Amino acid sequence: MLEAQVEPYKRLRENMSQRDRSLREKVVSLEEAASFVQDGMKVGIGGSTMSRTPMAMIWELVRQRRKNLSCSRSIVSTDGDLLFGSGLSDHIITSWFAQGILWGLSKVMRHHVEKQGKRYEEWSHMGVGMRFRAGGMGVPFLPMRAMLGSGVMTQRPEAKEIECPFTGERVLLVPALNPDVALIHVQRCDAYGNAQIDGLQFMDIDLALAANRVILTTEQIVSNEQIRRAPDQTKIPFFCVDAVVEVPYGSAPHECYGLYEPMMKHLDAYVRQVNADPVDGMKTYLDRYFHEPKSWNDFLALIGMDELLEATKRGRSIYND
């Protein structure tokens, strides 16, 4: 049994060691970046809740009708609705799945888990983070205390409770999580993939290190000279990154710190529609906002210039204050 678990991990380490880490330009289109993600892959999603969600990349994957992805993210909100409702994913690993603090539990999630057989795999927030960190460190597991004695632990046979050989205390071992591909949205990066993140980093640095390949979407591609002027702000280095896509408002209708806040009118309307009918409401939403637009700019146009400008005004006022 142990040998069966170790051998795949050895193959994973070998595969990661063969990644192309050269300093080269990696700028591609959304369509080209989507080719890195194939049906059935394990996909890590950056950001948290409604913050820096790589929504443009999710949008493109839905349009290309990928399926059977196993998706992991620290906290899932309406993006999880889209993953399940579109058929993009049949398995979500996270610590919390709701449509957001304002709207509560997702009826879309409940429908797909309770009636369609899709998997919602719940860990504690620390558990998800430690799994990404173990993957980024290149070790098969990490110990922690969170989840001990909780109901969450009883649902996670993958985690192993042991006696610490140094202190005799009970600790929980959580297995490394190494996605095939990570999707991460940032405020800016250069053409090589040196990415700078403003505000909370969430689990994105560990995720970038843990994943076999990384797709960065960015609000803006800047020069390498600009990146070098503030090297302390570079959180994800180029050697982790395989593709860079410049997508202004790439988290819409979610938020990107310092640039725009969530687009609440759009999200309110979305929640009313899909909660009224988790199947047909979602289909109608996907047809209108995902499949009918010819480009990401067309999607933004459907949200509306007034809402984009209002979200931008609120986002920048918070940052400047």
Side-chain angles (χ1 to χ4, degrees), residues 2-18 138 140 178:
L2 180 60
E3 184 177 345
Q5 293 174 342
V6 171
E7 194 57 37
Y9 193 76
K10 287 182 178 179
R11 289 199 299 270
L12 172 66
R13 293 291 304 278
E14 291 170 359
N15 187 41
M16 293 184 72
S17 70
Q18 295 170 7
N178 292 92

Side-chain angles (χ1 to χ4, degrees), residues 1 23 25 39 55 62 86-87 117 127 140 144 149 157 180 229 257 298:
M1 177 65 73
L23 186 68
E25 292 196 4
D39 293 351
M55 197 64 81
V62 171
S86 66
M144 67 179 202
D180 297 307
R229 291 190 193 107
Y257 174 75
D298 290 342

Side-chain angles (χ1 to χ4, degrees), residues 13 23 26 29 41 48 54 82 101 114 128 130 133 136 141 145 151 163 169 178 184 194 233 255 259-260 265 310:
R13 293 291 304 278
L23 186 68
K26 301 164 185 173
S29 66
M41 279 187 167
S48 181
L82 299 168
I101 296 172
E114 295 174 0
V128 176
M130 293 294 276
R133 177 152 296 184
F141 63 84
R145 289 192 176 92
E163 181 179 291
E169 297 178 355
N178 292 92
I184 300 174
N194 292 298
Q233 295 181 32
E255 63 94 15
L259 299 176
Y260 50 90
K265 292 180 182 178
E310 175 60 26

Side-chain angles (χ1 to χ4, degrees), residues 264-284:
M264 300 305 295
K265 292 180 182 178
H266 181 86
L267 288 168
D268 278 334
Y270 160 80
V271 170
R272 286 195 301 270
Q273 179 172 321
V274 300
N275 281 358
D277 189 329
V279 177
D280 289 340
M282 176 60 76
K283 182 181 183 303
T284 300

Side-chain angles (χ1 to χ4, degrees), residues 83-104:
L83 295 174
F84 272 167
S86 66
L88 187 61
S89 175
D90 57 5
H91 178 207
I92 293 178
I93 302 168
T94 188
S95 62
W96 191 78
F97 191 149
Q99 289 173 324
I101 296 172
L102 296 178
W103 305 289

Side-chain angles (χ1 to χ4, degrees), residues 175-235:
L177 184 54
N178 292 92
D180 297 307
V181 182
L183 315 177
I184 300 174
H185 188 71
V186 299
Q187 281 88 355
R188 61 194 168 277
C189 69
D190 63 17
Y192 307 124
N194 292 298
Q196 297 187 339
I197 298 174
D198 298 331
L200 296 175
Q201 301 160 19
F202 304 112
M203 300 172 186
D204 290 5
I205 298 173
D206 289 326
L207 172 59
L209 293 169
N212 190 43
R213 306 184 86 173
V214 174
I215 299 172
L216 281 184
T217 53
T218 181
E219 294 290 324
Q220 183 183 18
I221 294 176
V222 299
S223 68
N224 182 254
E225 288 75 15
Q226 181 172 336
I227 293 291
R228 287 172 179 268
R229 291 190 193 107
D232 57 306
Q233 295 181 32
T234 301
K235 306 303 180 184

Side-chain angles (χ1 to χ4, degrees), residues 29-38 41 57 60-61 64 66 213 215:
S29 66
L30 269 179
E31 295 85 352
E32 292 171 317
S35 68
F36 287 64
V37 182
Q38 298 301 314
M41 279 187 167
M57 201 66 242
E60 182 60 34
L61 292 171
Q64 296 201 17
R66 294 292 189 274
R213 306 184 86 173
I215 299 172

